[in-house]
Amino acid sequence: MGILIEIGSFIKLQRTKQEMTLNELSEGIVSVSYLSKIENQKTQASPDIIQLLCNRLGIENDNSQEEQIKEKCNRWYSMLFEVNNKEEIITTYKEIQEMLDKNLSNSLLMFEIHKIRYYLIMENFDEALKKINELSEIASTFDSLQQFYWFKFKGNYYSLKDADYNQALNMYKSAEEKINKIELSEEQVADLQYTISVTHSKLRNTLESIDYANQSLEVFMKQYNFQRCAQCHIILGISYRRIKMHERAIKNYNLAKHLGELNKDKKIIQLTNLNLGYLYSVISETNEAISFYEKVANDEDVNLEQRLIAITSIIKEFYNIDKINEVKDAIVKAHNILDLAKDKGYSKLYSYIIHTFEYVTNGENDRFVSFVKDKFIPFLKNHSDHANLVFYSTMLAKHFEEQYKYKDAVKYYKLANSTYDNLISL
């Protein structure tokens, strides 16, 4: 990375941040067109011109604080990697930003790249995308280490914001290609391998998911990192459940749970309970499934999305065994949890699920049919949610069959079958 990129980007960043026009910054120093060239890395300005521009922006054009900035940045990058204390992450971010606003530093570009990760942690997806678009203009100048984080954080964005796991995987694989050219800790490499494993899992690439999970697990075991080991065991449990190796899946889930208990990590424990619930549901052990789901649904300390997954799964389990009163009781609980999560992006799916069962158990047949046909199924198609599309297409088809509407029943059975084919070919 040349100093040309640093200074041009830096001046542009500071000018726009201070809401100063090109005219205001350039007046009496250089022409507007020349300043534009400096900012867009089209020319190398003389040190005197850079000094005058920095003076007008109120920036120190020296490197007296370089070591302090570098040290603080590295500490902040570690915070983003672990994500423990959001308040501390925000405070340190502001401190670094203040220092970089006043000092020309070699840490600037890496800090700007890490802002993508920062905005994602803060769930500020618009700012993350804005930063990606801003940095895209100079991405060709990044060195291998900067490229590693650039690709990794872009992968995080596609995965978290759009659930575009194919695009995310492309980004993660591009990051992986940089590993041999840079110095990274074993833990950083294992973190990327774990992330690739999760992404393969989302794409139903089960064998690849197992391979990457085992690679990362090996490193985390050496480091006695119980939390990360538990996460790997959960992914392995999901993968083995998908290839119907149920005993091996249960073994991995129980290992994850044990590690969660050793670490007093409620998040891991309840995530394992959720997955055990699903496994027992798959093998038609309904009571076992419900007991695991209830542990998650009733725990107010658990992430709201996990609680919604658990309570809607309980609704499905009771519905499947015709316990309609229990379904209605679970729907009341589900509404209470949904109210807490109403501002979250994921809440719409669970709202659709809850209303579907509400209409069908209340005998509101016309409302059920129009809701699932005209709203829920298009929503699931739009979000490529194949698993739910199979379930609710089948549910609607069975309803039509019971009403002797065979033509409609066939239509939705066909949709369920073709969606299932898509699901297993993913």
Side-chain angles (χ1 to χ4, degrees):
M1 175 191 59
I3 197 72
L4 169 64
I5 298 297
E6 279 285 3
I7 291 171
S9 301
F10 183 78
I11 286 170
K12 189 174 187 176
L13 277 167
Q14 299 309 329
R15 178 180 65 75
T16 51
K17 195 171 288 178
Q18 294 179 34
E19 296 181 353
M20 198 182 279
T21 64
L22 282 163
N23 272 322
E24 286 166 341
L25 180 56
S26 63
E27 193 180 354
I29 301 173
V30 289
S31 68
V32 170
S33 61
Y34 191 67
L35 175 57
S36 180
K37 283 180 182 176
I38 294 169
E39 287 190 349
N40 293 301
Q41 296 91 46
K42 301 274 175 64
T43 189
Q44 176 81 65
S46 71
D48 290 347
I49 288 172
I50 295 298
Q51 185 64 60
L52 289 168
L53 293 170
C54 285
N55 288 348
R56 185 159 289 171
L57 288 164
I59 295 156
E60 294 293 330
N61 187 7
D62 66 36
N63 60 358
S64 60
Q65 287 192 286
E66 186 62 25
E67 277 309 306
Q68 193 184 343
I69 291 170
K70 188 178 176 184
E71 192 181 312
K72 202 176 267 282
C73 281
N74 286 335
R75 193 160 63 82
W76 187 63
Y77 301 154
S78 296
M79 289 179 202
L80 296 180
F81 183 67
E82 293 295 341
V83 196
N84 289 330
N85 186 331
K86 282 193 182 180
E87 289 305 313
E88 195 183 354
I89 289 171
I90 295 166
T91 304
T92 310
Y93 166 77
K94 287 176 179 172
E95 287 169 6
I96 297 168
Q97 187 64 71
E98 201 173 316
M99 291 171 87
L100 287 173
D101 283 347
K102 294 173 185 167
N103 293 273
L104 196 54
S105 166
N106 288 325
S107 297
L108 174 73
L109 211 45
M110 191 63 97
F111 178 69
E112 292 295 320
I113 292 167
H114 275 75
K115 279 186 183 179
I116 301 166
R117 171 77 175 150
Y118 170 72
Y119 290 133
L120 292 175
I121 289 169
M122 297 301 153
E123 296 182 7
N124 193 339
F125 297 111
D126 290 345
E127 283 300 319
L129 181 59
K130 196 170 153 189
K131 184 56 62 181
I132 287 169
N133 291 336
E134 189 183 298
L135 290 172
S136 291
E137 295 175 25
I138 54 169
S140 60
T141 68
F142 293 169
D143 63 27
S144 292
L145 186 62
Q146 289 162 347
Q147 284 180 336
F148 172 82
Y149 289 110
W150 167 242
F151 288 127
K152 187 182 179 190
F153 298 153
K154 280 209 296 179
N156 293 162
Y157 175 83
Y158 289 120
S159 182
L160 291 167
K161 171 65 173 69
D162 299 326
D164 186 345
Y165 300 114
N166 280 308
Q167 183 71 314
L169 187 62
N170 289 336
M171 291 295 124
Y172 293 140
K173 297 297 276 181
S174 295
E176 188 183 29
E177 285 167 15
K178 302 295 167 193
I179 287 173
N180 293 331
K181 300 175 185 173
I182 56 181
E183 280 187 35
L184 280 179
S185 69
E186 265 194 323
E187 193 177 19
Q188 284 273 14
V189 175
D191 179 69
L192 180 65
Q193 288 167 337
Y194 168 74
T195 306
I196 292 173
S197 171
V198 171
T199 311
H200 274 306
S201 180
K202 299 281 188 188
L203 291 166
R204 298 293 203 280
N205 302 332
T206 305
L207 298 180
E208 290 89 341
S209 183
I210 290 171
D211 183 34
Y212 275 97
N214 280 323
Q215 286 180 59
S216 54
L217 179 60
E218 199 178 317
V219 175
F220 295 136
M221 281 170 72
K222 271 198 298 186
Q223 298 176 340
Y224 300 102
N225 189 331
F226 290 165
Q227 184 190 37
R228 302 311 304 272
C229 286
Q231 290 171 339
C232 292
H233 283 301
I234 289 170
I235 286 293
L236 287 167
I238 291 167
S239 299
Y240 287 125
R241 188 257 303 155
R242 282 185 179 146
I243 53 177
K244 296 185 168 51
M245 296 177 73
H246 296 132
E247 282 185 22
R248 194 172 280 197
I250 290 169
K251 184 183 172 185
N252 274 282
Y253 287 145
N254 285 334
L255 278 167
K257 200 169 181 179
H258 177 62
L259 290 167
E261 285 161 354
L262 281 176
N263 227 27
K264 294 185 172 61
D265 189 333
K266 188 177 265 192
K267 192 176 173 185
I268 289 288
I269 294 165
Q270 295 295 31
L271 185 57
T272 309
N273 284 332
L274 198 58
N275 278 290
L276 279 164
Y278 188 68
L279 185 145
Y280 282 110
S281 172
V282 166
I283 59 177
S284 301
E285 293 195 22
T286 304
N287 291 333
E288 277 289 301
I290 290 170
S291 73
F292 280 110
Y293 286 141
E294 281 179 339
K295 288 174 185 176
V296 181
N298 296 333
D299 188 342
E300 292 182 4
D301 294 332
V302 171
N303 169 298
L304 287 170
E305 186 172 14
Q306 288 186 352
R307 290 183 71 198
L308 282 168
I309 293 169
I311 195 67
T312 51
S313 297
I314 289 168
I315 290 169
K316 285 183 197 173
E317 293 299 319
F318 280 131
Y319 181 78
N320 286 339
I321 55 172
D322 287 326
K323 290 198 171 179
I324 300 305
N325 288 335
E326 284 84 348
V327 172
K328 288 181 177 179
D329 289 343
I331 285 171
V332 172
K333 280 187 190 175
H335 273 299
N336 292 335
I337 300 170
L338 188 66
D339 284 345
L340 298 172
K342 62 178 178 290
D343 298 329
K344 304 287 185 184
Y346 57 74
S347 66
K348 196 164 189 180
L349 169 65
Y350 302 101
S351 173
Y352 278 129
I353 293 171
I354 294 160
H355 283 102
T356 296
F357 283 101
E358 202 164 25
Y359 298 147
V360 81
T361 52
N362 288 339
E364 298 176 69
N365 290 344
D366 291 346
R367 205 168 179 189
F368 161 74
V369 169
S370 67
F371 184 78
V372 176
K373 184 163 67 78
D374 301 330
K375 288 187 177 176
F376 197 8
I377 284 177
F379 172 85
L380 294 170
K381 283 180 177 175
N382 193 36
H383 287 78
S384 302
D385 187 341
H386 301 293
N388 275 316
L389 192 50
V390 170
F391 183 91
Y392 291 100
S393 301
T394 304
M395 188 179 179
L396 187 59
K398 281 180 181 172
H399 175 80
F400 281 130
E401 198 172 10
E402 285 163 8
Q403 302 290 312
Y404 308 110
K405 295 181 178 177
Y406 297 116
K407 192 176 174 184
D408 288 324
V410 167
K411 178 183 172 183
Y412 286 98
Y413 277 130
K414 276 186 177 175
L415 175 60
N417 287 335
S418 63
T419 306
Y420 183 74
D421 290 341
N422 285 335
L423 187 62
I424 59 174
S425 66
L426 275 175

